[in-house]
Amino acid sequence: MSVVKQWQFWVLILFMIGVFVIASSTKILVQKYTWQGASSSATKTLSAAIITDLHSCFYGDHQHEIMDILRAQKPDIILLGGDIYDDDLAHTHADILLSQLGSVSRHIYYVNGNHELYMPSLEYQTVLDKIQSYGIQILHGTGVQRLNDSPISVWGVADPVSGEFDTQLNTVGSLANPDHINILLSHRPERVSDYVQYPFDIVVSGHAHGGQWRLPPLINGLFAPNQGLFPAYAGGQYQLDNTDPNRSTELIVSRGLAKESTRFVPRIFNRPEIVFLDIHY
């Protein structure tokens, strides 16, 4: 092999290594979105941190990689969108994270995901008890109205695996005041046709893991559970048409924090993320 060809060969190898390192990076991405609503006269902002699909993954001693970001951003509220725990993995890393969230915000809300519901019933109940002991409010068919005396209300529903999804969605949808800014916390992004039946301004979900493999900007996600190939809602901010012609609904889908997909399929060009949503009102 000539010197020139050797040089080209090693450049190619280094390039491929660089692409692989970037593509497989698990460094947490801080993703930011804003919600303005129909009004252009907003004078206040509420910041929400959105954490989903941790699957009890490890992010440094005391989960400092996550906590450092949260402490730097100082969100007003924290929304936990399900699959924080995993049915096949030890609870340790999820427990360590959740036990510290109260140092960031007093307003922390949780709904389950399918993997928490795959646990045996006694194990799942232990998880719920721990979550509440950390000062986190579980929103399964309930909500908090006029958060901090603002016009913002937060509602939540359990994952469809519970068998309670439809009943709970109807309950919170009926309670939601159309004159308020209503946030729905629900694990599943694919249930958009159900969400838009109610006066929700913002729906926060996870579950899709960013479509697992991406090729920005051409392919936003290759495959997501319950959506299949090239999922419509893999991760991002989506505008939905509400059945009320005077209202629109924004869907925020987090790509989640699982470093690998369920059953250990690596993420490609799809870094784990924490979403921060600024709500102007």
Side-chain angles (χ1 to χ4, degrees):
M1 184 182 296
S2 69
V3 173
V4 173
K5 287 185 177 180
Q6 284 183 349
W7 178 83
Q8 291 173 333
F9 172 78
W10 287 112
V11 166
L12 178 61
I13 292 297
L14 290 173
F15 174 77
M16 293 174 65
I17 291 172
V19 170
F20 174 79
V21 169
I22 294 171
S24 60
S25 173
T26 57
K27 180 178 175 59
I28 297 173
L29 175 68
V30 175
Q31 181 66 261
K32 295 188 176 183
Y33 301 116
T34 60
W35 182 90
Q36 182 69 51
S39 174
S40 59
S41 59
T43 59
K44 298 180 179 180
T45 300
L46 182 139
S47 173
I50 300 168
I51 297 175
T52 76
D53 301 280
L54 175 67
H55 286 273
S56 207
C57 286
F58 175 70
Y59 277 95
D61 291 342
H62 305 291
Q63 298 290 63
H64 75 87
E65 294 175 34
I66 298 173
M67 292 304 303
D68 289 350
I69 292 171
L70 293 173
R71 289 178 177 130
Q73 296 292 327
K74 300 178 181 178
D76 298 305
I77 66 173
I78 299 175
L79 303 176
L80 302 169
D83 283 356
I84 304 301
Y85 293 83
D86 189 273
D87 55 313
D88 283 341
L89 300 176
H91 299 170
T92 306
H93 302 313
D95 288 336
I96 289 172
L97 175 64
L98 298 192
S99 67
Q100 299 180 80
L101 294 183
S103 67
V104 176
S105 174
R106 294 184 297 109
H107 305 285
I108 311 167
Y109 307 103
Y110 164 90
V111 297
N112 59 27
N114 51 302
H115 280 270
E116 281 116 346
L117 288 167
Y118 292 157
M119 297 175 186
S121 57
L122 289 177
E123 182 183 0
Y124 173 59
Q125 186 58 53
T126 299
V127 164
L128 293 181
D129 291 342
K130 284 192 293 186
I131 289 170
Q132 290 179 308
S133 75
Y134 301 141
I136 298 169
Q137 188 166 348
I138 297 171
L139 301 183
H140 291 158
T142 187
V144 177
Q145 300 196 56
R146 297 191 62 84
L147 184 64
N148 280 359
D149 294 323
S150 74
I152 299 171
S153 299
V154 181
W155 309 93
V157 291
D159 187 83
V161 170
S162 69
E164 300 294 327
F165 174 86
D166 293 311
T167 299
Q168 291 184 7
L169 183 62
N170 184 63
T171 297
V172 298
S174 299
L175 292 171
N177 186 335
D179 294 329
H180 293 176
I181 298 168
N182 292 292
I183 303 171
L184 176 69
L185 185 57
S186 176
H187 187 59
R188 304 281 187 132
E190 71 271 11
R191 299 298 292 265
V192 291
S193 62
D194 298 309
Y195 303 142
V196 297
Q197 304 296 320
Y198 300 97
F200 299 122
D201 300 280
I202 303 165
V203 178
V204 172
S205 296
H207 189 55
H209 290 217
Q212 210 52 48
W213 293 357
R214 303 176 62 223
L215 188 61
L218 300 177
I219 301 174
N220 191 39
L222 179 64
F223 179 85
N226 304 105
Q227 293 189 69
L229 289 171
F230 307 111
Y233 307 107
Q237 185 175 24
Y238 305 89
Q239 191 76 34
L240 308 177
D241 292 327
N242 197 280
T243 54
D244 179 348
N246 298 314
R247 196 177 207 99
S248 64
T249 301
E250 286 197 7
L251 173 67
I252 306 294
V253 183
S254 171
R255 300 183 188 279
L257 283 165
K259 291 186 177 181
E260 295 173 324
S261 170
T262 310
R263 307 308 160 254
F264 310 106
V265 177
R267 300 168 72 121
I268 302 295
F269 289 113
N270 180 28
R271 285 166 55 188
E273 70 177 17
I274 300 176
V275 173
F276 292 91
L277 174 64
D278 282 341
I279 302 167
H280 302 297
Y281 65 96

